[in-house]
Amino acid sequence: MCGIWALFGSDECLSVQCLSAMKIAHRGPDAFRFENVNGFTNCCFGFHRLAVVDQLYGMQPIRVKKFPYLWLCYNGEIYNFKQLQKQFGFEYQTLVDGEVILHLYNRGGIEQTASMLDGVFAFILLDTANRKVFLARDTYGVRPLFKVLTDDGFLGVCSEAKGLINLKHSTSLCPKVEPFLPGHYEVLDLKPSGKVASVELVKFHSYKDEPLHAACDTVETLPSGSFDLERVKSNIRILFENAVRKRLMAHRRIGCLLSGGLDSSLVAAVLLKLMKEININYPLQTFAIGMENSPDLLAARKVAAHIGSEHHEVIFNSEEGIQAIEEVIFSLETYDITTVRASIGMYLVSKYIRKKTDSVVIFSGEGSDELTQGYIYFHKAPSPEEAAEESERLLKELYLFDVLRADRTTAAHG
């Protein structure tokens, strides 16, 4: 998607510090902007852009005439920005989905803003009029965000940890870089010196609760009540189709990862059906990766033939996989063995998509095994309650594993 980076209260020269922002240049190959904040000589924003919507006015930090005191840097996609515009009568100045964050904040403050967003996001919002800095991240942590905050109030924020580890600061101790927690927002006071002080960290949504934005969703009202099997299946179908439909908002070409398994096959099939419905007239490109004659490649080939996609196969050998490990770990910023192993193929297929095709927005089937207990060890669950508990644990930790892998391996190739 994009790369966001910001500093508040830097003791060092900003033109030296901004070299750290270049560590995440891979996330946004289309453009780069570095901007100082008026009136705060030691605060700045850095932004690497991957143009997915509004190629003319999509640069960041986003500022609009109506709210000259607000500065926004965000990474992600807000799926319900048009519904919110309709509901509250917002007047947008750009086609950028993230502009809705400024209007929501102006209307009802940070808590309502974070709670009303249906999408994947990580953002830094600066309100110079009220001297506040806000950080927020989506419920599952699909979009990454890291921060470093020193005892004397120097704040650094970035999409990836590598953009923060070499920052220069006067304190001798090396401050800790930490992931910002999913489903939370943080309020910080901005002092006249440009330094900050954390006021509160608030959990605005738990994945077990219905989100606030459901009140203005376009998805039809789901019948509730008895757990009748046909009704449950119908509800799942409605929600699943809506999940794919609302992501069809990009102005760039759409593709889909396809392993031939249930999750990605369903996504690809529904995606193709919906693309025809809204008259997207290019063929859907699907992408599979594996070693020669691997079961995944054969299964994906079958699915692609059935749904009629323009199918691409990437074949690699063990030597190529081993050679990629170091780059993959650098991209992931984790040594988790399962994540590293699962990322090799995704890293190599993303590299292929970037070099050989013009698909920019890629759909996949991440998260479904955690939600629907698809991992094989669930067969050994002692009870449905304990299986549900394990499922919840996996969903809570998605940001450390599967969605981390999906974000970093694709973002590594813009």
Side-chain angles (χ1 to χ4, degrees):
M1 295 292 285
C2 299
I4 59 176
W5 181 88
L7 298 185
F8 297 90
S10 173
D11 293 338
E12 294 289 325
C13 169
L14 289 177
S15 54
V16 172
Q17 299 279 48
C18 85
L19 293 174
S20 286
M22 301 318 289
K23 298 271 180 63
I24 58 160
H26 49 270
R27 294 187 71 90
D30 293 331
F32 172 67
R33 178 187 278 174
F34 179 75
E35 193 167 346
N36 289 1
V37 179
N38 316 342
F40 294 91
T41 53
N42 55 0
C43 302
C44 61
F45 286 91
F47 178 68
H48 293 278
R49 185 171 189 219
L50 177 64
V52 171
V53 294
D54 198 347
Q55 297 189 38
L56 185 60
Y57 294 111
M59 267 315 271
Q60 297 186 35
I62 295 174
R63 300 180 71 203
V64 294
K65 278 182 185 169
K66 200 172 180 184
F67 318 117
Y69 50 90
L70 296 181
W71 300 59
L72 172 70
C73 240
Y74 87 104
N75 167 216
E77 276 191 314
I78 311 301
Y79 308 126
N80 64 342
F81 75 109
K82 286 183 177 168
Q83 288 95 291
L84 291 169
Q85 179 183 31
K86 218 171 170 181
Q87 181 166 344
F88 298 123
F90 294 149
E91 288 177 25
Y92 293 157
Q93 290 178 26
T94 70
L95 302 175
V96 180
D97 49 294
E99 190 189 327
V100 69
I101 295 169
L102 301 176
H103 295 265
L104 277 174
Y105 171 72
N106 180 67
R107 184 184 178 279
I110 189 64
E111 182 149 18
Q112 192 198 49
T113 302
S115 304
M116 288 300 285
L117 298 175
D118 178 15
V120 293
F121 59 85
F123 69 75
I124 308 149
L125 176 64
L126 166 63
D127 178 346
T128 54
N130 295 295
R131 292 216 173 129
K132 297 281 185 203
V133 177
F134 304 98
L135 309 178
R137 191 177 180 191
D138 67 69
T139 302
Y140 292 99
V142 174
R143 291 286 156 241
L145 194 66
F146 289 85
K147 75 164 197 179
V148 61
L149 180 60
T150 65
D151 291 340
D152 68 339
F154 168 56
L155 173 70
V157 189
C158 188
S159 295
E160 297 180 18
K162 56 180 73 70
L164 300 174
I165 52 171
N166 292 325
L167 290 173
K168 305 274 185 290
H169 193 62
S170 54
T171 53
S172 53
L173 287 171
C174 195
K176 199 177 173 195
V177 176
E178 295 179 300
F180 190 81
L181 287 174
H184 285 69
Y185 68 79
E186 185 171 11
V187 183
L188 302 109
D189 279 335
L190 180 65
K191 298 172 183 176
S193 64
K195 306 274 187 193
V196 301
S198 181
V199 178
E200 58 175 348
L201 178 67
V202 177
K203 185 174 186 176
F204 67 86
H205 184 235
S206 165
Y207 52 86
K208 290 174 76 173
D209 302 327
E210 185 175 41
L212 201 60
H213 62 70
C216 60
D217 275 359
T218 51
V219 64
E220 58 195 87
T221 309
L222 300 174
S224 56
S226 66
F227 276 96
D228 167 61
L229 185 60
E230 288 310 309
R231 179 178 287 174
V232 170
K233 289 196 304 198
S234 164
N235 285 353
I236 290 170
R237 192 179 298 116
I238 289 164
L239 288 167
F240 185 84
E241 201 163 291
N242 184 60
V244 178
R245 182 184 286 109
K246 71 187 178 187
R247 286 167 169 81
L248 284 168
M249 56 180 267
H251 300 166
R252 302 284 291 274
R253 184 167 183 163
I254 291 164
C256 190
L257 299 182
L258 181 60
S259 69
L262 176 67
D263 314 326
S264 62
S265 300
L266 265 176
V267 172
V270 171
L271 178 56
L272 200 66
K273 177 188 145 195
L274 295 176
M275 282 170 72
K276 282 177 184 162
E277 277 179 23
I278 61 170
N279 297 320
I280 290 178
N281 52 17
Y282 55 76
L284 173 68
Q285 293 179 327
T286 50
F287 304 95
I289 184 160
M291 294 182 171
E292 197 84 56
N293 292 322
S294 68
D296 274 14
L297 284 180
L298 302 175
R301 206 177 292 167
K302 234 184 216 178
V303 175
H306 178 71
I307 64 174
S309 61
E310 180 196 299
H311 193 54
H312 297 245
E313 288 184 353
V314 181
I315 295 164
F316 73 103
N317 58 38
S318 52
E319 187 49 45
E320 288 168 310
I322 289 163
Q323 277 176 2
I325 287 176
E326 229 168 280
E327 290 169 32
V328 168
I329 292 171
F330 178 76
S331 300
L332 294 176
E333 302 180 328
T334 179
Y335 289 112
D336 178 68
I337 296 164
T338 314
T339 304
V340 172
R341 188 180 63 218
S343 297
I344 302 288
M346 207 162 178
Y347 181 87
L348 293 172
V349 78
S350 299
K351 193 176 187 176
Y352 170 90
I353 294 169
R354 176 78 192 160
K355 277 186 172 173
K356 306 280 188 186
T357 78
D358 58 349
S359 282
V360 176
V361 178
I362 306 297
F363 283 64
S364 79
E366 304 301 336
S368 52
D369 284 320
E370 289 78 3
L371 177 69
T372 59
Q373 304 175 12
Y375 294 119
I376 202 145
Y377 71 89
F378 273 100
H379 290 302
K380 295 176 180 170
S383 68
E385 290 73 23
E386 283 172 86
E389 224 171 87
E390 174 64 3
S391 184
E392 284 165 22
R393 182 188 72 82
L394 292 173
L395 288 168
K396 199 176 174 183
E397 294 179 357
L398 259 180
Y399 79 105
L400 297 170
F401 303 108
D402 285 42
V403 297
L404 180 148
R405 165 178 52 76
D407 174 84
R408 299 309 192 286
T409 54
T410 51
H413 304 289

